[in-house]
Amino acid sequence: MSSETALSRWLQKEMPRQGYPLVGHKAGGITRLAEAAGIPQASMSRLVNGRVEPSIDNLRKIGRVLGYRLSDMLVHAGLVTREEVTSTGAPDPNPDIPSEISVEDLPEGERQIWELRGLTREERALAAHMVRIVRSYRNGTEPPPGIDESIDALTAVLGEMMKRNVTRRARLKRVE
C-alpha cells in the first residue's frame, strides 16, 4: 500500500479547514476527530497517513462529523466518481451560485445553504460564514474573522427571510 490514498490527501486538506489541525501548536486533530467520530485514534491515524483503505462504516462516521454525506465520502475516498453517485433526475444547477463556489466540495451544511432557493448571493455567503463560525466553536477552534459583524448582518438577513417566508418553504436538513 502506498503511503498516500485519495482519502488521506483529502483528509490532510479538509481536517485543518474544519478545525482539526494536523501540525502546529494546536495540532491534535487526528485524536479529536477520532474521538468525535467514534473511531480508534490509531485507525484514524492510519487513514490520515494513507496506510489503510477506509471501511464504509468509518467513512460514514467521519462524514457525519465533518458534515458530508456517505456518497461524498465515497467520492473523496476515490471509491466512486461524482457521476456515479449523482442521480439522473438531479435538478439543474442553481444559477445564483457564483462560479467560484465549488458546491460539491463544501461540507453538507454549507452546500445546503448554497443550494437553497430564494436567497441572494450575499445572504447565502453570510449564512455559510455563520455555519463555519458555529462549526469552529463546536470544534473548539478560533472562529473565522468578522464574527461580530456577521452576527449583526445575519440577524438582519433572518428578519428579511422571515418576511419573505423563505424559511417555511425551504427548510435546511439538520447536519449532525
Side-chain angles (χ1 to χ4, degrees):
M1 154 96 30
S2 80
S3 64
E4 195 171 79
T5 63
L7 182 66
S8 70
R9 286 189 301 275
W10 180 79
L11 283 172
Q12 290 169 18
K13 291 178 189 172
E14 183 67 9
M15 286 175 61
R17 195 177 81 72
Q18 294 261 356
Y20 295 96
L22 298 171
V23 296
H25 72 283
K26 290 188 177 182
I30 290 174
T31 300
R32 288 188 25 251
L33 181 57
E35 289 173 1
I39 297 171
Q41 190 274 335
S43 297
M44 182 64 70
S45 179
R46 286 191 293 272
L47 285 170
V48 171
N49 291 306
R51 292 189 302 240
V52 297
E53 290 294 331
S55 68
I56 298 294
D57 187 47
N58 283 346
L59 286 175
R60 183 178 289 115
K61 289 176 180 179
I62 294 167
R64 281 187 189 133
V65 173
L66 297 179
Y68 287 91
R69 297 176 297 200
L70 176 59
S71 60
D72 297 319
M73 295 303 294
L74 292 167
V75 171
H76 292 306
L79 299 174
V80 297
T81 65
R82 177 70 54 199
E83 294 75 30
E84 290 173 314
V85 296
T86 303
S87 71
T88 57
D92 292 334
N94 187 335
D96 295 330
I97 299 173
S99 59
E100 67 271 11
I101 301 289
S102 178
V103 176
E104 60 271 4
D105 293 334
L106 294 174
E108 182 67 20
E110 289 180 58
R111 179 181 21 257
Q112 289 177 22
I113 289 167
W114 281 103
E115 293 174 345
L116 185 62
R117 303 284 179 159
L119 299 178
T120 66
R121 286 182 185 192
E122 294 77 19
E123 290 167 340
R124 285 189 185 98
L126 177 62
H129 181 71
M130 292 306 297
V131 167
R132 288 189 296 276
I133 289 171
V134 170
R135 188 174 283 127
S136 71
Y137 277 124
R138 184 180 69 196
N139 295 335
T141 59
E142 291 292 323
I147 187 168
D148 294 329
E149 297 83 5
S150 295
I151 291 171
D152 294 340
L154 180 64
T155 302
V157 166
L158 290 174
E160 286 300 312
M161 289 170 58
M162 295 291 269
K163 287 178 191 172
R164 291 193 319 249
N165 209 12
V166 171
T167 55
R168 207 164 42 121
R169 283 185 270 129
R171 292 184 164 174
L172 293 176
K173 293 183 240 167
R174 182 169 183 263
V175 178
E176 296 184 11

